[in-house]
Structures are given as C-alpha cells and as structure tokens.
Amino acid sequence: MSELQGRAAVVTGGSRGIGRALVLALVRAGAKVVFCTRRDSEEASEVVRVGQALGGVLAHVVADVASEVQVDRLFDHALDLHGRVDIALHNAGISHSALLVSLEEARLDAMLATNTTSAFLVARRVARDVARFSRPATLITIGSLAQHGSPANAAYAASKGALVGLTRAIAAECGASGLRAYLAVVGLVETDLTRDLPERTRSLLLDTCPLKRASTPDEIAAAVVGLAVTEGALQNGEPFYLSGGLTEIPA
C-alpha cells in the first residue's frame, strides 16, 4: 500500500487511540509522518518504534497545539525534515463530563483551548502554508457526535460543535486556493476517552447504533486516511460521519 508515497503528513495527538491509528495508517500508506503529543511518553516512543518497524519515516515532537508558538514549531519541524506538509490530521482533544450548573471554569477553558482553539491554530497554519508555497493540502479534523449535545456534556458539545462552522468557513475561504477541509464525526470508539463511560450511557449508544457495536481506532483511521488519499473535493467543508449509522447521541 503506497498511495501516499512521497507525501508528508502532520498528526496531532498521535500516541494513543485514534491518533496512534492515524499515524500508523499513514505510515502503511507510504506517507512520511511527524506527530505530536502534549508531553513525552513511552506510548509516543512505542508509536515511533512500531512505525519504523513497518518501514516508515516518522518523527515525534512534543507540542501543545493550543499554543500558536508550538503549532508553528511542529509544522516548521515537518518542513525542515520533508520540505512540505500535504496532509494535516488534527486529532488532539480532551473530554470532561459535568452538569452545566457545576462545571468549573478552568475545565471549560481547558476543553475550549484543546478542542477548539487548537483546531483554529492548526487550520490557520495549514492555510498560511498553502498560500505561502502555492501547494494544495488536506486538513481533516476529528470531531464527535457530542457536537449535537447531551446531558452533562455542554462544554464538550460546545467545543466540538464549533468545529462544524470552522470547517465550513475554511472550505469557503480557502477551497479555491487548494486547501481541502473535512470534519470526521466519530461516534462511540473504543479509546481511553470512552472506556470510563457510565454503563447506562454505553448501553444506550450501542442499542441505538445500527452497527450495534463500538468502532475501533483502526476503522476510523482507515476511513480518514482513505479520504486523504482520494482528496474528495465534493466533500470539502462537510462533516462526514464515521459512527456506524448513529447520527446523534440519545438523551
């Protein structure tokens, strides 16, 4: 599999779950990958080892993508290594469930910074590079069905819901210059973020989902990297659902 041979990609939040699967799927497709995590970890080192064992070219950078300076450092490193960034997969995110009346402001600020501000900063850097180098690029952001809202998830829903408007605005503003922007809306995926879901919530999601099971990170990665390969212009700016047929979170 070498559909992305010669392409260079940046992945945010690439050490676990969906992010790890994205990095390794890109490697298998032949892309050269630079991925980041907010802190150094054995998990990140393991992704590098696995990717290299697959014959991949990949590098790990410690970067908090809620910081413009660190986003620039991440992309500058990729440019220094490979001279180009063709694909950016923005996966970094955090979740915290709390009732609206009891949510602490610090938790709200953290979620908006990690889930929303970071998406804007990554998108802006990609857009600037497309204009600077006159080279097209693909930006895919990982969203969530939580964008539709559910009890005890007001802040998370707001932070993810904002990505719909952001993605459409990027497409409207930058599509003609060669930047393709997509939002991959995932449902229940077996990751660290969902492992501690209350049993009632998990059962409700599984009962409502036509697939009757959770998705796996590898399934999400296959679909996302597949879109990066095809560069589907007609989907530019649109959310696409990777949720097993589930289109909203049942109350």
Side-chain angles (χ1 to χ4, degrees):
M1 184 176 178
S2 57
E3 296 96 332
L4 296 177
Q5 199 71 41
R7 305 282 188 91
V10 167
V11 180
T12 68
S15 65
R16 298 182 296 173
I18 294 173
R20 181 183 192 276
L22 290 171
V23 170
L24 298 180
L26 286 166
V27 166
R28 292 187 184 98
K32 295 170 284 190
V33 183
V34 176
F35 74 97
C36 78
T37 57
R38 191 160 50 179
R39 58 184 63 86
D40 206 358
S41 68
E42 176 56 34
E43 292 163 319
S45 298
E46 176 65 13
V47 172
V48 173
R49 286 194 291 269
V50 173
Q52 290 175 340
L54 292 170
V57 177
L58 71 166
H60 171 235
V61 174
V62 174
D64 180 354
V65 287
S67 160
E68 182 177 17
V69 171
Q70 295 188 48
V71 167
D72 284 339
R73 181 163 57 80
L74 168 64
F75 278 83
D76 287 345
H77 187 66
L79 288 174
D80 288 344
L81 288 176
H82 307 305
R84 59 193 297 152
V85 174
D86 305 285
I87 300 162
L89 305 183
H90 180 52
N91 169 71
I94 59 172
S95 174
H96 175 72
S97 295
L99 294 173
L100 180 63
V101 295
S102 58
L103 178 68
E104 298 171 356
E105 187 175 355
R107 292 278 194 180
L108 172 63
D109 290 344
M111 262 188 285
L112 291 174
T114 303
N115 298 346
T116 312
T117 300
S118 67
F120 176 87
L121 294 175
V122 168
R124 184 167 65 181
R125 174 57 195 251
V126 175
R128 285 174 171 172
D129 284 352
V130 167
R132 176 185 172 192
F133 298 113
S134 298
R135 182 186 298 129
T138 297
L139 168 66
I140 304 177
T141 303
I142 305 300
S144 170
L145 279 180
Q147 69 190 28
H148 295 291
S150 62
N153 269 311
Y156 187 59
S159 70
K160 288 297 189 178
L163 303 180
V164 178
L166 175 62
T167 301
R168 287 177 172 153
I170 295 165
E173 186 175 326
C174 306
S177 65
L179 175 54
R180 299 284 184 260
Y182 311 94
L183 180 65
V185 182
V186 305
L188 180 61
V189 186
E190 292 294 357
T191 68
D192 291 344
L193 285 180
T194 62
R195 195 160 292 133
D196 296 327
L197 277 176
E199 189 56 40
R200 179 184 176 279
T201 302
R202 176 178 289 274
S203 297
L204 192 58
L205 287 169
L206 293 177
D207 288 345
T208 310
C209 176
L211 198 61
K212 301 302 181 186
R213 65 169 176 84
S215 306
T216 69
D218 286 340
E219 289 175 316
I220 302 299
V224 170
V225 173
L227 181 59
V229 169
T230 60
E231 299 177 344
L234 297 184
Q235 293 170 280
N236 187 31
E238 290 301 313
F240 66 101
Y241 285 75
L242 302 175
S243 53
L246 192 64
T247 56
E248 61 182 30
I249 295 180

